[in-house]
């Protein structure tokens, strides 16, 4: 029999598993705390469990860490791990320390099928969904590794926030995502508040509705454009989930959300979506329609994209238009630049099983217009389907 990986279970799942072994429910809670609060990987460490239970567990189960392929530390304290998840696939996890928090950026898939133009993961194509255990293992490893490395006192936490902003579209891996979120939130697990766990999505409306029902955590939506014509081109799933539907869905989400705003992420692409006119169009789109904040992300370039980062002055001017309209807007600091750990640079190693690479490379290049009349508009050429 294959050993069961206990990182695959949220507390309900672990309870059901323990019951199958003929154990009382509270044993599952003890076991869960050993695994997630103490970082135990070996049943023999679990001193308050009966020896007979430890032996039983050792025979049928294990706590399976991810295989580390590499670790890189940036001069700014950011750490990036590359995990080998087998079959030629690898995913990345990034730890970003700040004065008052430690954020872990977690991957949900090997590759991504959405194929956004400006995203290195998207350019690699999609290989497979991570399991719950593989998502949880990123946090389990990082938290306990960092506690040891940073010499933290008993009860101190290394990771205070989790953002599902690594490789992959978390809402396209919904069945594995939700139990993983529950482990993060569980008081017997990592005990993170819903406000400190963020799911970032390119905008899958029906799945946002399900998340609202099943596990409403903080939501970030990757908007990147003020109108459907441009968003269709940058974020291809916009054709199925257009902006008007997305905003309605976000408003429904706010009824259950732990925060009273949605964060819109907006990747600033030189000459594509960064003009003052487009900032005004964005204001018209959201003002009075949705409670939101904007996070402007300087584009992190990679060669295959053919796109460039907006100059700093244009980002500042764009931010001012939003701010002058009363919309809270921040510009994301890029972290881990020297180790390619910034947003959208996570490339891992992915066996493309979807031919997304080919689809992206055969798309017509984005036409960049500089005249005021056409500022930032996109002339779309016929697309070649892969
Ligand atoms: N798939 C999800 C979460 C992963 S991407 C999503 O799209 O939201 C996390 C964030 O990084 C998203 O806002 C995404 O738009 C942004 N991003 C992707 N590529 C980027 C790049 N090259 N430069 C800057 N931000 C990028
Ligand atoms: Fe996928 Fe997000 Fe990258 Fe788009 S930005 S390709 S949804 S990971």
């Amino acid at each position: 029999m294959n050993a069961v990986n206990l990182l695959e279970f949220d507390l309900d799942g672990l309870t059901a598993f323990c019951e199958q072994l003929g154990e009382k429910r509270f044993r599952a809670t003890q076991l869960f705390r050993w695994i997630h609060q103490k970082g135990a990987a070996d049943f023999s460490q679990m001193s308050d469990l009966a020896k007979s239970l430890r032996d039983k567990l050792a025979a049928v189960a294990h706590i399976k860490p991810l295989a580390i392929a590499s670790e890189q530390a940036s001069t700014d304290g950011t750490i990036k791990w590359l995990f080998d998840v087998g079959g030629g696939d690898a995913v990345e996890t990034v730890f970003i320390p700040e004065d008052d928090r430690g954020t872990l950026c977690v991957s949900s898939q090997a590759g991504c099928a959405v194929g956004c133009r400006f995203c290195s993961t998207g350019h690699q194509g999609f290989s497979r969904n991570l399991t719950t255990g593989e998502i949880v293992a990123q946090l389990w490893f990082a938290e306990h590794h960092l506690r040891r490395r940073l010499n933290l006192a008993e009860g101190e936490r290394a990771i205070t926030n989790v953002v599902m902003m690594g490789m992959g579209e978390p809402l396209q891996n919904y069945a594995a995502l939700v139990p993983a979120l529950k482990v993060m939130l569980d008081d017997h697990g990592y005990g993170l508040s819903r406000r400190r766990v963020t799911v970032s999505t390119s905008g899958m409306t029906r799945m946002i509705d399900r998340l609202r029902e099943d596990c409403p955590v903080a939501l970030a939506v990757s908007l990147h454009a003020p109108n459907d014509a441009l968003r269709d081109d940058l974020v291809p799933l916009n054709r199925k989930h257009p902006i008007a539907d997305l905003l309605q869905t976000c408003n429904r989400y706010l009824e259950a959300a732990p925060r009273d705003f949605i964060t819109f992420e907006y990747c600033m692409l030189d000459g594509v979506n960064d003009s003052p006119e487009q900032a005004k169009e964005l204001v018209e789109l959201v003002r009075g329609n949705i409670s939101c904040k904007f996070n402007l992300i300087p584009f992190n370039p990679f060669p295959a994209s053919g796109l460039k980062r907006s100059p700093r002055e244009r980002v500042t001017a764009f931010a001012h238009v939003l701010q002058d309209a009363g919309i809270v807007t921040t510009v994301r600091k890029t972290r881990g630049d020297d180790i390619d750990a910034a947003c959208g640079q996570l490339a891992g190693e992915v066996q493309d099983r979807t031919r997304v690479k080919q689809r992206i490379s055969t798309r017509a290049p984005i036409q960049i217009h500089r005249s005021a009349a056409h500022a930032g508009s996109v002339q779309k050429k016929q697309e070649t389907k892969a």
Side-chain angles (χ1 to χ4, degrees), residues 153-199:
E154 178 86 28
E156 262 191 290
R157 302 277 181 76
I159 290 155
T160 60
N161 295 58
V162 170
V163 292
M164 296 301 305
M165 292 185 188
M167 296 169 69
E169 167 50 54
L171 296 186
Q172 283 193 343
N173 186 15
Y174 192 78
L177 173 72
V178 169
L181 295 177
K182 289 192 170 159
V183 175
M184 296 171 194
L185 300 175
D186 202 305
D187 283 340
H188 298 295
Y190 298 87
L192 299 175
S193 83
R194 290 180 187 278
R195 301 161 61 85
R196 289 176 175 269
V197 175
T198 301
V199 167

Short mmCIF file of all heavy atoms in Angstrom, two decimals, residues 153-199:
data_model
loop_
_atom_site.label_atom_id
_atom_site.label_comp_id
_atom_site.label_asym_id
_atom_site.label_seq_id
_atom_site.Cartn_x
_atom_site.Cartn_y
_atom_site.Cartn_z
N ALA A 153 12.02 32.58 18.61
CA ALA A 153 11.64 32.05 19.92
C ALA A 153 10.37 31.22 19.77
O ALA A 153 9.62 31.40 18.81
CB ALA A 153 11.41 33.20 20.88
N GLU A 154 10.14 30.33 20.74
CA GLU A 154 8.93 29.50 20.77
C GLU A 154 7.70 30.40 20.61
O GLU A 154 7.58 31.43 21.24
CB GLU A 154 8.91 28.79 22.16
CG GLU A 154 7.73 27.92 22.43
CD GLU A 154 7.94 26.51 21.89
OE1 GLU A 154 9.10 26.08 21.80
OE2 GLU A 154 6.93 25.87 21.54
N GLY A 155 6.84 30.04 19.71
CA GLY A 155 5.60 30.82 19.52
C GLY A 155 5.74 31.93 18.48
O GLY A 155 4.75 32.49 18.03
N GLU A 156 6.97 32.28 18.12
CA GLU A 156 7.15 33.33 17.09
C GLU A 156 6.94 32.74 15.70
O GLU A 156 7.33 31.59 15.46
CB GLU A 156 8.57 33.89 17.17
CG GLU A 156 8.67 35.19 17.94
CD GLU A 156 10.05 35.80 17.74
OE1 GLU A 156 11.04 35.24 18.26
OE2 GLU A 156 10.13 36.84 17.06
N ARG A 157 6.36 33.52 14.82
CA ARG A 157 6.07 33.05 13.47
C ARG A 157 7.01 33.67 12.46
O ARG A 157 7.27 34.87 12.52
CB ARG A 157 4.67 33.48 13.04
CG ARG A 157 3.56 33.03 13.92
CD ARG A 157 3.19 31.60 13.54
NE ARG A 157 2.10 31.16 14.38
CZ ARG A 157 0.85 31.55 14.20
NH1 ARG A 157 0.54 32.37 13.24
NH2 ARG A 157 -0.09 31.11 14.99
N ALA A 158 7.45 32.90 11.50
CA ALA A 158 8.24 33.46 10.40
C ALA A 158 7.30 34.04 9.35
O ALA A 158 7.54 35.11 8.79
CB ALA A 158 9.12 32.38 9.77
N ILE A 159 6.22 33.31 9.09
CA ILE A 159 5.32 33.74 8.01
C ILE A 159 4.00 34.23 8.61
O ILE A 159 3.31 33.49 9.33
CB ILE A 159 5.10 32.57 7.03
CG1 ILE A 159 6.41 32.35 6.27
CG2 ILE A 159 3.96 32.88 6.04
CD1 ILE A 159 6.60 30.99 5.75
N THR A 160 3.70 35.48 8.33
CA THR A 160 2.47 36.07 8.87
C THR A 160 1.41 36.24 7.79
O THR A 160 0.25 36.48 8.10
CB THR A 160 2.77 37.46 9.46
OG1 THR A 160 3.30 38.29 8.40
CG2 THR A 160 3.80 37.40 10.59
N ASN A 161 1.82 36.17 6.53
CA ASN A 161 0.90 36.38 5.41
C ASN A 161 1.21 35.38 4.30
O ASN A 161 2.38 35.11 4.05
CB ASN A 161 1.08 37.80 4.81
CG ASN A 161 0.71 38.90 5.77
OD1 ASN A 161 1.28 39.00 6.87
ND2 ASN A 161 -0.23 39.72 5.39
N VAL A 162 0.16 34.91 3.66
CA VAL A 162 0.37 34.07 2.48
C VAL A 162 -0.35 34.70 1.30
O VAL A 162 -1.50 35.15 1.43
CB VAL A 162 -0.17 32.63 2.70
CG1 VAL A 162 -0.17 31.83 1.39
CG2 VAL A 162 0.65 31.89 3.75
N VAL A 163 0.33 34.77 0.19
CA VAL A 163 -0.32 35.25 -1.04
C VAL A 163 -0.22 34.14 -2.09
O VAL A 163 0.86 33.62 -2.34
CB VAL A 163 0.29 36.59 -1.56
CG1 VAL A 163 -0.02 37.72 -0.60
CG2 VAL A 163 1.80 36.50 -1.76
N MET A 164 -1.36 33.79 -2.67
CA MET A 164 -1.34 32.77 -3.74
C MET A 164 -1.03 33.50 -5.03
O MET A 164 -1.88 33.70 -5.88
CB MET A 164 -2.69 32.05 -3.82
CG MET A 164 -3.08 31.25 -2.58
SD MET A 164 -1.91 29.93 -2.09
CE MET A 164 -1.79 28.96 -3.57
N MET A 165 0.23 33.94 -5.13
CA MET A 165 0.67 34.74 -6.27
C MET A 165 1.92 34.15 -6.92
O MET A 165 2.64 34.83 -7.63
CB MET A 165 0.99 36.18 -5.83
CG MET A 165 -0.23 36.96 -5.40
SD MET A 165 0.20 38.66 -5.04
CE MET A 165 -1.34 39.25 -4.32
N GLY A 166 2.17 32.88 -6.62
CA GLY A 166 3.31 32.23 -7.26
C GLY A 166 2.91 31.74 -8.64
O GLY A 166 2.12 32.38 -9.34
N MET A 167 3.43 30.59 -9.02
CA MET A 167 3.10 30.08 -10.35
C MET A 167 1.69 29.49 -10.34
O MET A 167 1.28 28.81 -9.41
CB MET A 167 4.10 28.98 -10.73
CG MET A 167 5.52 29.52 -10.85
SD MET A 167 6.74 28.21 -10.99
CE MET A 167 6.37 27.56 -12.61
N GLY A 168 0.93 29.78 -11.40
CA GLY A 168 -0.37 29.15 -11.57
C GLY A 168 -1.55 30.04 -11.25
O GLY A 168 -1.42 31.08 -10.62
N GLU A 169 -2.70 29.60 -11.73
CA GLU A 169 -3.97 30.29 -11.46
C GLU A 169 -4.69 29.47 -10.38
O GLU A 169 -5.22 28.39 -10.66
CB GLU A 169 -4.80 30.38 -12.76
CG GLU A 169 -6.24 30.78 -12.58
CD GLU A 169 -6.45 32.03 -11.75
OE1 GLU A 169 -5.86 33.08 -12.03
OE2 GLU A 169 -7.22 31.94 -10.76
N PRO A 170 -4.69 29.98 -9.14
CA PRO A 170 -5.21 29.15 -8.05
C PRO A 170 -6.65 28.70 -8.26
O PRO A 170 -7.01 27.59 -7.88
CB PRO A 170 -5.10 30.06 -6.81
CG PRO A 170 -4.63 31.39 -7.29
CD PRO A 170 -4.13 31.26 -8.67
N LEU A 171 -7.47 29.53 -8.90
CA LEU A 171 -8.88 29.15 -9.05
C LEU A 171 -9.08 28.13 -10.17
O LEU A 171 -10.17 27.60 -10.33
CB LEU A 171 -9.77 30.38 -9.25
CG LEU A 171 -9.80 31.34 -8.06
CD1 LEU A 171 -10.81 32.45 -8.29
CD2 LEU A 171 -10.12 30.62 -6.75
N GLN A 172 -8.02 27.83 -10.92
CA GLN A 172 -8.12 26.70 -11.86
C GLN A 172 -7.67 25.40 -11.18
O GLN A 172 -7.62 24.36 -11.80
CB GLN A 172 -7.29 26.95 -13.13
CG GLN A 172 -8.01 27.91 -14.06
CD GLN A 172 -7.44 27.99 -15.46
OE1 GLN A 172 -6.31 27.56 -15.72
NE2 GLN A 172 -8.20 28.56 -16.38
N ASN A 173 -7.34 25.50 -9.91
CA ASN A 173 -6.98 24.31 -9.13
C ASN A 173 -7.76 24.34 -7.82
O ASN A 173 -7.22 24.19 -6.74
CB ASN A 173 -5.47 24.28 -8.88
CG ASN A 173 -5.03 23.00 -8.20
OD1 ASN A 173 -5.79 22.03 -8.15
ND2 ASN A 173 -3.82 22.99 -7.67
N TYR A 174 -9.05 24.55 -7.98
CA TYR A 174 -9.91 24.88 -6.84
C TYR A 174 -9.99 23.74 -5.81
O TYR A 174 -9.92 23.98 -4.61
CB TYR A 174 -11.31 25.20 -7.38
CG TYR A 174 -12.20 25.81 -6.34
CD1 TYR A 174 -12.06 27.15 -6.00
CD2 TYR A 174 -13.16 25.04 -5.68
CE1 TYR A 174 -12.87 27.71 -5.03
CE2 TYR A 174 -13.97 25.61 -4.71
CZ TYR A 174 -13.82 26.94 -4.40
OH TYR A 174 -14.61 27.51 -3.44
N ALA A 175 -10.15 22.51 -6.30
CA ALA A 175 -10.36 21.38 -5.37
C ALA A 175 -9.16 21.20 -4.44
O ALA A 175 -9.32 20.83 -3.28
CB ALA A 175 -10.60 20.10 -6.16
N ALA A 176 -7.97 21.47 -4.92
CA ALA A 176 -6.78 21.35 -4.07
C ALA A 176 -6.56 22.61 -3.25
O ALA A 176 -6.04 22.57 -2.13
CB ALA A 176 -5.55 21.08 -4.93
N LEU A 177 -6.98 23.75 -3.81
CA LEU A 177 -6.73 25.03 -3.13
C LEU A 177 -7.49 25.15 -1.81
O LEU A 177 -6.90 25.55 -0.79
CB LEU A 177 -7.16 26.18 -4.07
CG LEU A 177 -7.10 27.58 -3.45
CD1 LEU A 177 -5.65 28.04 -3.28
CD2 LEU A 177 -7.88 28.60 -4.29
N VAL A 178 -8.78 24.83 -1.82
CA VAL A 178 -9.61 25.14 -0.65
C VAL A 178 -9.13 24.41 0.62
O VAL A 178 -8.94 25.06 1.65
CB VAL A 178 -11.11 24.93 -0.95
CG1 VAL A 178 -11.95 24.98 0.31
CG2 VAL A 178 -11.58 26.00 -1.95
N PRO A 179 -8.86 23.08 0.57
CA PRO A 179 -8.32 22.45 1.79
C PRO A 179 -6.98 23.07 2.21
O PRO A 179 -6.71 23.20 3.40
CB PRO A 179 -8.13 20.99 1.40
CG PRO A 179 -8.96 20.79 0.17
CD PRO A 179 -9.09 22.11 -0.51
N ALA A 180 -6.17 23.48 1.24
CA ALA A 180 -4.88 24.11 1.59
C ALA A 180 -5.13 25.42 2.33
O ALA A 180 -4.47 25.72 3.34
CB ALA A 180 -4.05 24.33 0.34
N LEU A 181 -6.09 26.21 1.86
CA LEU A 181 -6.42 27.47 2.55
C LEU A 181 -6.90 27.16 3.97
O LEU A 181 -6.55 27.86 4.92
CB LEU A 181 -7.52 28.24 1.80
CG LEU A 181 -7.17 28.76 0.39
CD1 LEU A 181 -8.39 29.42 -0.25
CD2 LEU A 181 -6.00 29.75 0.44
N LYS A 182 -7.67 26.08 4.10
CA LYS A 182 -8.21 25.75 5.43
C LYS A 182 -7.08 25.40 6.40
O LYS A 182 -7.15 25.73 7.58
CB LYS A 182 -9.23 24.63 5.31
CG LYS A 182 -10.49 25.17 4.63
CD LYS A 182 -11.68 24.26 4.70
CE LYS A 182 -12.89 25.05 4.19
NZ LYS A 182 -13.99 24.21 3.73
N VAL A 183 -6.04 24.73 5.90
CA VAL A 183 -4.89 24.42 6.77
C VAL A 183 -4.22 25.73 7.22
O VAL A 183 -3.84 25.89 8.38
CB VAL A 183 -3.86 23.52 6.04
CG1 VAL A 183 -2.61 23.31 6.89
CG2 VAL A 183 -4.49 22.19 5.64
N MET A 184 -4.11 26.68 6.28
CA MET A 184 -3.47 27.96 6.62
C MET A 184 -4.27 28.71 7.70
O MET A 184 -3.71 29.35 8.59
CB MET A 184 -3.38 28.86 5.38
CG MET A 184 -2.50 28.28 4.29
SD MET A 184 -2.64 29.24 2.76
CE MET A 184 -1.87 28.12 1.59
N LEU A 185 -5.61 28.62 7.61
CA LEU A 185 -6.46 29.40 8.51
C LEU A 185 -6.69 28.70 9.85
O LEU A 185 -7.00 29.37 10.85
CB LEU A 185 -7.84 29.62 7.85
CG LEU A 185 -7.86 30.36 6.51
CD1 LEU A 185 -9.28 30.39 5.93
CD2 LEU A 185 -7.36 31.80 6.67
N ASP A 186 -6.59 27.40 9.87
CA ASP A 186 -6.98 26.63 11.06
C ASP A 186 -6.15 27.03 12.28
O ASP A 186 -4.92 27.10 12.21
CB ASP A 186 -6.77 25.13 10.76
CG ASP A 186 -7.61 24.26 11.66
OD1 ASP A 186 -7.49 24.41 12.90
OD2 ASP A 186 -8.38 23.46 11.14
N ASP A 187 -6.85 27.24 13.41
CA ASP A 187 -6.13 27.60 14.64
C ASP A 187 -5.18 26.49 15.09
O ASP A 187 -4.21 26.75 15.80
CB ASP A 187 -7.11 27.91 15.76
CG ASP A 187 -7.71 29.29 15.58
OD1 ASP A 187 -7.10 30.11 14.85
OD2 ASP A 187 -8.79 29.55 16.14
N HIS A 188 -5.49 25.26 14.71
CA HIS A 188 -4.58 24.16 15.04
C HIS A 188 -3.49 24.00 13.98
O HIS A 188 -2.60 23.17 14.12
CB HIS A 188 -5.35 22.84 15.17
CG HIS A 188 -6.37 22.88 16.27
ND1 HIS A 188 -6.04 23.00 17.60
CD2 HIS A 188 -7.73 22.86 16.23
CE1 HIS A 188 -7.13 23.03 18.33
NE2 HIS A 188 -8.18 22.95 17.52
N GLY A 189 -3.61 24.78 12.90
CA GLY A 189 -2.60 24.73 11.83
C GLY A 189 -1.73 25.98 11.93
O GLY A 189 -1.04 26.19 12.92
N TYR A 190 -1.84 26.87 10.93
CA TYR A 190 -0.99 28.06 10.93
C TYR A 190 -1.70 29.26 11.55
O TYR A 190 -1.07 30.28 11.80
CB TYR A 190 -0.49 28.36 9.50
CG TYR A 190 0.34 27.21 9.02
CD1 TYR A 190 -0.26 26.12 8.40
CD2 TYR A 190 1.70 27.15 9.29
CE1 TYR A 190 0.48 25.00 8.03
CE2 TYR A 190 2.46 26.05 8.93
CZ TYR A 190 1.83 24.97 8.30
OH TYR A 190 2.57 23.87 7.97
N GLY A 191 -3.02 29.14 11.75
CA GLY A 191 -3.78 30.17 12.47
C GLY A 191 -3.71 31.55 11.83
O GLY A 191 -3.79 32.57 12.51
N LEU A 192 -3.58 31.61 10.49
CA LEU A 192 -3.53 32.93 9.83
C LEU A 192 -4.95 33.47 9.69
O LEU A 192 -5.89 32.71 9.42
CB LEU A 192 -2.90 32.79 8.43
CG LEU A 192 -1.46 32.28 8.39
CD1 LEU A 192 -1.00 32.07 6.95
CD2 LEU A 192 -0.52 33.27 9.09
N SER A 193 -5.11 34.77 9.86
CA SER A 193 -6.46 35.33 9.72
C SER A 193 -6.80 35.41 8.23
O SER A 193 -5.90 35.47 7.38
CB SER A 193 -6.55 36.70 10.38
OG SER A 193 -6.06 37.68 9.49
N ARG A 194 -8.10 35.42 7.95
CA ARG A 194 -8.55 35.46 6.55
C ARG A 194 -8.01 36.69 5.82
O ARG A 194 -7.86 36.69 4.61
CB ARG A 194 -10.07 35.50 6.48
CG ARG A 194 -10.72 34.23 6.89
CD ARG A 194 -12.24 34.30 6.82
NE ARG A 194 -12.79 33.08 7.39
CZ ARG A 194 -12.89 31.93 6.73
NH1 ARG A 194 -12.53 31.87 5.47
NH2 ARG A 194 -13.36 30.86 7.31
N ARG A 195 -7.76 37.74 6.58
CA ARG A 195 -7.26 38.98 5.96
C ARG A 195 -5.82 38.83 5.50
O ARG A 195 -5.34 39.61 4.69
CB ARG A 195 -7.32 40.12 6.97
CG ARG A 195 -8.68 40.42 7.52
CD ARG A 195 -8.58 41.22 8.82
NE ARG A 195 -7.90 42.49 8.62
CZ ARG A 195 -8.50 43.59 8.21
NH1 ARG A 195 -9.78 43.58 7.94
NH2 ARG A 195 -7.82 44.70 8.06
N ARG A 196 -5.14 37.85 6.08
CA ARG A 196 -3.71 37.70 5.78
C ARG A 196 -3.41 36.57 4.81
O ARG A 196 -2.27 36.19 4.61
CB ARG A 196 -2.94 37.48 7.10
CG ARG A 196 -2.88 38.73 7.95
CD ARG A 196 -2.21 38.41 9.27
NE ARG A 196 -2.01 39.60 10.07
CZ ARG A 196 -0.92 40.36 10.04
NH1 ARG A 196 0.07 40.06 9.21
NH2 ARG A 196 -0.81 41.42 10.81
N VAL A 197 -4.48 36.02 4.27
CA VAL A 197 -4.31 35.00 3.23
C VAL A 197 -5.01 35.55 1.99
O VAL A 197 -6.21 35.87 2.03
CB VAL A 197 -4.95 33.65 3.65
CG1 VAL A 197 -4.87 32.64 2.50
CG2 VAL A 197 -4.26 33.10 4.89
N THR A 198 -4.26 35.74 0.92
CA THR A 198 -4.81 36.37 -0.28
C THR A 198 -4.77 35.41 -1.46
O THR A 198 -3.73 34.82 -1.75
CB THR A 198 -3.99 37.63 -0.65
OG1 THR A 198 -4.04 38.53 0.46
CG2 THR A 198 -4.56 38.33 -1.89
N VAL A 199 -5.92 35.25 -2.10
CA VAL A 199 -5.94 34.52 -3.37
C VAL A 199 -5.92 35.56 -4.47
O VAL A 199 -6.73 36.49 -4.49
CB VAL A 199 -7.20 33.62 -3.49
CG1 VAL A 199 -7.39 33.12 -4.92
CG2 VAL A 199 -7.09 32.43 -2.54
#
